[in-house]
Amino acid sequence: MNSLVVDFLTREGCHLCDEARRHVRKAARRAALEVQEVDIDSDDRLVGVYGLRIPVLLAPDGAVIAEGELTSTAELVRLFREWKRPR
């Protein structure tokens, strides 16, 4: 079974990203997801869209799961599980 991969948009020097990283990784493990960290500064399009919004969690289809202060592991687990539920 292939696992679902969520993109965690960050950039170097982003204190909110640094604070979120631990919570995002822990929540992803609990929700059985993989997280791929993406430095938005590696892609001009990402900078244009998400430059001031990071950190951002993106679903594989590009939908925003969460953004901003991501400092509650429990809340992130809830958001991940809600996103994974069949619609």
Side-chain angles (χ1 to χ4, degrees):
M1 176 174 105
N2 293 334
S3 65
L4 296 171
V5 179
V6 173
D7 286 339
F8 175 41
L9 305 183
T10 66
R11 75 163 26 113
E12 191 164 331
C14 169
H15 74 281
L16 290 177
C17 301
D18 294 340
E19 291 173 13
R21 188 172 284 109
R22 170 174 62 95
H23 297 286
V24 168
R25 289 179 179 163
K26 190 181 289 187
R29 278 193 305 272
R30 290 183 186 169
L33 295 171
E34 286 186 43
V35 173
Q36 172 179 287
E37 193 163 329
V38 178
D39 183 337
I40 67 165
D41 290 325
S42 67
D43 183 325
D44 291 340
R45 186 191 66 77
L46 292 176
V47 171
V49 175
Y50 302 104
L52 298 176
R53 294 171 56 187
I54 59 169
V56 175
L57 291 167
L58 293 180
D61 66 0
V64 174
I65 297 171
E67 64 182 273
E69 291 190 42
L70 309 175
T71 57
S72 169
T73 300
E75 177 65 8
L76 288 170
V77 169
R78 184 189 70 73
L79 290 170
F80 284 153
R81 288 181 176 158
E82 181 179 290
W83 165 74
K84 283 176 58 177
R85 269 198 306 260
R87 301 192 197 297

